[in-house]
Amino acid sequence: MERGVKAALFIGGIVALALGGFSGRKAKSGLIRPPGAVDEALFLSTCLRCGQCAQVCPQKAIRIGYGDKGISLGTPYIEPRQAACNLCMDCARVCPSRALRETAKENVRMGLAEINQDACLAWQGDECKICYTSCPFFNRAIQLEDHKRPVVNRNVCAGCGICEYVCIASPAAVTVKAGR
Ligand code: SF4
Ligand code: SF4
């Protein structure tokens, strides 16, 4: 194991221990965690802040929290408008603490996509189906009302953020909210 990784694991372990008291309580960071993350309170006390998930992500979708993220300092999160997750699960496979756990795509719940109908081009009468055609759960997580207007099916949406990433409205008319 590289020296830098060892140091990260050591520091992360100390932070995780210090945060251990949160594991029994509800915690809400508002951050979208990588796929397969355990519940937020447990995540905060389990994640070692080693950054290995971010290193392997082929999408470069995983960011690491800086000081402005408070208790989430050093933890991984995703900003879908910058780079979305393709549900490959490479991050969960390398996570040494099992804060991320390999999960079948259908069972991933990183967050939930929400459509702002006032900003959505299709809901405003234009021809646009980009989120619908880009969603990895085609015609299931996003369905078309009247063959035109996108609607999110919360029972299927994984919160991967691909719809938010590809949305051509500015700002995006579909956004993923964390914390399901
Ligand atoms: S599943 Fe793959 S693409 Fe998604 S965050 Fe993890 S490593 Fe990146
Ligand atoms: S609706 Fe959006 S966030 Fe949900 S699975 Fe489809 S692309 Fe991912």
Side-chain angles (χ1 to χ4, degrees), residues 85 87 111-115 131-132 134-138 140-142 151-153 156-164 166 174-176 180:
C85 168
L87 302 174
L112 178 64
E114 290 179 11
I115 293 173
C131 60
Y132 169 74
S134 302
C135 175
F137 302 96
F138 179 69
R140 290 194 289 143
I142 296 182
V151 179
V152 175
N153 180 349
V156 180
C157 174
C160 67
I162 290 174
C163 52
E164 180 175 333
V166 299
V174 56
T175 51
V176 174
R180 295 185 69 178

Side-chain angles (χ1 to χ4, degrees), residues 34-35 53 56-59 61-62 78 84-92:
C53 51
V56 299
C57 178
Q59 303 295 109
I62 299 181
I78 287 171
C85 168
N86 72 2
L87 302 174
C88 72
M89 283 293 158
D90 283 357
C91 50

Side-chain angles (χ1 to χ4, degrees), residues 86-107:
N86 72 2
L87 302 174
C88 72
M89 283 293 158
D90 283 357
C91 50
R93 278 190 281 273
V94 299
C95 176
S97 68
R98 289 184 42 81
L100 302 177
R101 298 179 184 182
E102 197 168 355
T103 304
K105 285 183 188 184
E106 289 70 21
N107 296 330

Side-chain angles (χ1 to χ4, degrees), residues 49-74:
R49 282 91 174 147
C50 66
Q52 292 185 64
C53 51
Q55 284 174 20
V56 299
C57 178
Q59 303 295 109
K60 301 283 175 240
I62 299 181
R63 293 159 177 262
I64 299 295
Y66 285 100
D68 63 334
K69 294 291 185 278
I71 199 172
S72 291
L73 173 70

